[in-house]
Amino acid sequence: MTGVQLNLCRLDEIPEGGAKALATVINGKQQPLVAMRRGEHVWLYRNCCPHFSVPLDYNPGEFCTYKNQLIMCAHHSAMFRFEDGLCVDGPCAGARLESVPCKIEGDALVMLECNAVIVKVG
């Protein structure tokens, strides 16, 4: 799907102040993603803690978020801001989640990534 935008999910499928797991394949490799939402704003990141490269969710698709602002790594309790992925507390303070280009188009979250296909919305 080179150069094509990919609709990942509807905006209302991402819980307000929460996160949603999205399984994709990018450039032939599985890339679990996490979308976080606050109001009409959505941020998309690789679902991978920079501390030990483990997923952020404590069970597949289940994330711990705090005050509509932070997502916590279930494995090391690192806290990352929604808006820029910066770790503000925990063992990797100062590190960032890897962002994935996206936008809201109509009522859909759209990934702006080449060579991507959606595998499963978790």
Side-chain angles (χ1 to χ4, degrees):
M1 300 187 77
T2 304
V4 174
Q5 299 177 2
L6 180 66
N7 286 358
L8 293 173
C9 65
R10 290 188 332 266
L11 182 61
D12 63 5
E13 292 179 279
I14 307 166
E16 170 61 33
K20 180 173 183 62
L22 300 160
T24 61
V25 174
I26 301 173
N27 296 324
K29 295 180 183 175
Q30 288 189 357
Q31 293 289 325
L33 304 177
V34 57
M36 295 173 255
R37 175 177 166 221
R38 185 180 324 125
E40 297 299 312
H41 299 283
V42 176
W43 299 271
L44 186 63
Y45 299 97
R46 284 188 60 229
N47 184 6
C48 184
C49 179
H51 183 218
F52 276 134
S53 299
V54 295
L56 298 169
D57 35 356
Y58 58 91
N59 284 320
E62 295 182 30
F63 298 91
C64 184
T65 58
Y66 182 69
K67 292 190 175 183
N68 297 344
Q69 298 178 34
L70 301 168
I71 187 168
M72 184 179 78
C73 175
H75 304 281
H76 306 107
S77 301
M79 302 289 281
F80 301 91
R81 292 191 305 214
F82 280 14
E83 61 269 13
D84 58 9
L86 179 69
C87 181
V88 295
D89 189 31
C92 55
R96 290 182 190 272
L97 299 174
E98 185 179 332
S99 66
V100 176
C102 70
K103 68 177 183 176
I104 299 296
E105 194 168 274
D107 67 347
L109 174 62
V110 177
M111 183 169 62
L112 308 174
E113 184 75 47
C114 295
N115 298 317
V117 295
I118 193 163
V119 176
K120 174 183 137 189
V121 175

